[in-house]
Amino acid sequence: VLSGGPVVVDGSPLAPGTTKALYGGVEVELSADGKTLWVRFAGAEVVISRVDSPVAAAGHWYNVWLRLPCGLLCGEGGEGEDGGLCEDPEARTPLLLGNLTVLEGLLPCGDYTPPLDPCEVRGAPVGTEECCPARPYEEAVEACEPAACDVELLQDCLQDCCRTTDDVCAETYAGLCPAPAPPPAPPPPEGVCECHSLGDPHFKTWDDVYYSFQGLGAYVLADLPCAGIFVEAQHCPWGAGAASANAAIGLAVGNHTVVLSGGPVVVDGSPLAPGTTKALYGGVEVELSADGKTLWVRFAGAEVVISRVDSPVAAAGHWYNVWLRLPCGLLCGEGGEGEDGGLCEDPEARTPLLLGNLTVLEGLLPCGDYTPPLDPCEVRGAPVGTEECCPARPYEEAVEACEPAACDVELLQDCLQDCCRTTDDVCAETYAGLCPAPAPPPAPPPPEGVCECHSLGDPHFKTWDDVYYSFQGLGAYVLADLPCAGIFVEAQHCPWGAGAASANAAIGLAVGNHTVVLSGGPV
């Protein structure tokens, strides 16, 4: 049994670097690093290789290869193909075997029950109203509320939650949708203008234009000399790296400064206690909610409301939603007239400014040495992250930095957009572990007369008759049932990635009179 800890053979851990002959002609061999196991018996070989990665719920996954003389391929009746995932995917009937003693000691990864409903046949639309075998479809929709902001996220969640009655199926999606922030006040009355910056981040300008902008670094949000207000935001990575969010906000209001960067709210250099309303010199008032998450700043008829949302999906562990409201007559730029010079203005005309050296932003959380692009190709709508538009560094360097994302075209494009905006290779860290590490081949290609089946990554299968397919069920499945070879193999599938896939979190074998378990620790 392999389930993330020691590899367990007949109930005892197998030491790394050990080759052991077992009764009945079975041989087990564990590599020196404890990550690759070979099990040999009667001309057959099972090779299991562990890949450690935070992208898998169990912290690892297993790649599995099975090779044996083709004459040993038979099912329960002693003939035909095996009864597990190694058979033709069109004909397979996965079996739920979580109660087998061979899999005792597996890592918990949710009380998942793989679907046994006819609609689960490969290619059927699991996660739809017509195909939700584990529960009523309405219950799955309710469980997937955390993913309701995005059609693709929601569909991935519904596929998972239609396969199990346990609402842990939706936990993967917690925090991927921005939590709705409470409105700061009723809609502004006539003569009052509003600008906001929400989520990752989405903007509403003073003249009611909506747009999104995901630069990284420090930007002016509003520069309003007629109102005596200056606001800037520090954008740090959010989500899979293609977006950013307000990790910190700095304000200059009248003669006072206010900084929010994840810890206490700091007013004129001193922390403001939660539940406090404080009048400052010059007519400025600051008020902090009892939970310390929402701040109101009022001055000369204007109001700034800043609300913190805590979520691991943001690099800083949180983001800020910001609303600004003021009498429209106070809207003016540096010259005393016209719109402000920051992100609150019309997006087509905006020129973001790099303001990381302003004293108002001292004490901000570090989120990488990001420099927002000031290159002409950064104009909204230009293809940043291409060879023609990589303002912060040579495009070849960005490609090299993004090697961890090279397995997937969309991941790579997201990474290139980030790394073309900065000279710091931290831009690619978001993608570390999202591409499966290449597993070493267990042996040369099988000679004539030897058949091979494998289960790799998230997981991708090769059947005995060389059919390739993918299957992302969750729970315990038969991989191979070969009574003529004396071999039985099953795999525990746990979530992988954003929840739409799974991977082999543990492998259990019965070989001859012996059992082998791999579950992340010792074999």
Side-chain angles (χ1 to χ4, degrees):
V1 176
L2 303 89
S3 60
V7 176
V8 180
V9 179
D10 293 337
S12 300
L14 182 65
T18 299
T19 300
K20 190 173 181 180
L22 307 175
Y23 171 78
V26 175
E27 180 184 85
V28 292
E29 178 184 350
L30 184 59
S31 62
D33 61 5
K35 291 188 174 182
T36 303
L37 177 76
W38 293 262
V39 181
R40 305 178 183 97
F41 178 59
E45 180 180 56
V46 181
V47 184
I48 304 170
S49 174
R50 190 178 87 232
V51 179
D52 297 319
S53 170
V55 79
H60 65 273
W61 72 80
Y62 289 102
N63 294 325
V64 186
W65 296 261
L66 297 91
R67 286 179 166 169
L68 73 163
C70 298
L72 294 180
L73 284 178
C74 63
E76 292 180 11
E79 57 183 20
E81 296 297 325
D82 71 294
L85 293 171
C86 280
E87 72 165 333
D88 187 318
E90 299 302 325
R92 70 164 161 57
T93 306
L95 303 180
L96 177 60
L97 294 169
N99 59 346
L100 286 184
T101 55
V102 74
L103 274 178
E104 279 181 356
L106 291 192
L107 282 176
C109 64
D111 183 16
Y112 288 105
T113 304
L116 302 179
D117 191 274
C119 74
E120 175 56 0
V121 174
R122 181 168 163 74
V126 182
T128 62
E129 197 163 0
E130 296 74 28
C131 182
C132 195
R135 63 167 85 197
Y137 179 71
E138 294 72 19
E139 286 185 15
V141 171
E142 185 177 350
C144 286
E145 192 175 347
C149 67
D150 183 275
V151 173
E152 291 186 6
L153 278 182
L154 179 60
Q155 191 54 49
D156 290 344
C157 182
L158 287 171
Q159 286 178 359
D160 293 352
C161 289
C162 278
R163 290 177 169 133
T164 173
T165 57
D166 190 337
D167 284 350
V168 72
C169 59
E171 284 184 5
T172 306
Y173 306 91
L176 296 184
C177 290
E190 192 173 348
V192 173
C193 289
E194 177 184 288
C195 151
H196 69 221
S197 171
L198 312 179
D200 56 332
H202 307 290
F203 297 89
K204 172 179 176 281
T205 70
W206 299 116
D207 51 355
D208 295 331
V209 174
Y210 290 83
Y211 73 103
S212 298
F213 171 68
Q214 279 87 27
L216 293 165
Y219 291 85
V220 177
L221 183 59
D223 184 4
L224 303 163
C226 295
I229 295 175
F230 176 85
V231 187
E232 59 180 353
Q234 177 86 353
H235 289 190
C236 289
W238 187 95
S244 58
N246 298 313
I249 302 294
L251 295 88
V253 184
N255 296 313
H256 306 277
T257 60
V258 182
V259 175
L260 302 90
S261 59
V265 175
V266 178
V267 178
D268 292 337
S270 300
L272 182 65
T276 300
T277 300
K278 190 174 182 180
L280 306 177
Y281 170 78
V284 175
E285 181 184 84
V286 291
E287 177 184 352
L288 184 59
S289 62
D291 61 4
K293 291 188 173 182
T294 303
L295 177 75
W296 292 264
V297 180
R298 305 178 183 98
F299 178 58
E303 181 179 57
V304 182
V305 184
I306 305 169
S307 176
R308 189 179 88 231
V309 179
D310 297 318
S311 171
V313 79
H318 65 272
W319 72 81
Y320 288 101
N321 293 325
V322 185
W323 294 263
L324 297 92
R325 284 180 167 169
L326 72 164
C328 298
L330 294 179
L331 284 179
C332 63
E334 292 181 11
E337 57 184 22
E339 298 296 327
D340 72 294
L343 293 170
C344 280
E345 72 166 335
D346 187 315
E348 298 303 322
R350 68 163 163 60
T351 307
L353 303 178
L354 177 61
L355 295 168
N357 59 346
L358 286 184
T359 54
V360 76
L361 272 179
E362 280 182 358
L364 289 193
L365 281 176
C367 64
D369 183 17
Y370 287 107
T371 303
L374 303 179
D375 192 273
C377 74
E378 177 56 1
V379 174
R380 181 170 162 73
V384 182
T386 61
E387 196 163 1
E388 296 74 28
C389 183
C390 195
R393 62 167 84 198
Y395 179 70
E396 294 72 19
E397 286 184 15
V399 171
E400 186 176 351
C402 286
E403 192 173 348
C407 67
D408 184 274
V409 174
E410 291 186 4
L411 278 182
L412 180 60
Q413 191 53 51
D414 289 345
C415 182
L416 288 171
Q417 286 178 0
D418 292 352
C419 289
C420 277
R421 290 180 169 131
T422 173
T423 57
D424 190 336
D425 285 349
V426 73
C427 60
E429 284 185 4
T430 305
Y431 306 92
L434 294 184
C435 290
E448 191 174 349
V450 173
C451 289
E452 177 185 290
C453 148
H454 70 222
S455 170
L456 313 179
D458 58 330
H460 308 289
F461 296 91
K462 173 180 176 279
T463 70
W464 298 116
D465 50 356
D466 295 332
V467 174
Y468 290 83
Y469 73 102
S470 297
F471 172 70
Q472 279 85 28
L474 293 165
Y477 291 85
V478 177
L479 183 59
D481 183 5
L482 304 163
C484 296
I487 295 176
F488 175 84
V489 187
E490 60 179 352
Q492 177 85 353
H493 291 191
C494 289
W496 188 96
S502 58
N504 297 314
I507 302 296
L509 295 88
V511 185
N513 294 314
H514 307 279
T515 61
V516 184
V517 175
L518 302 90
S519 59
V523 177

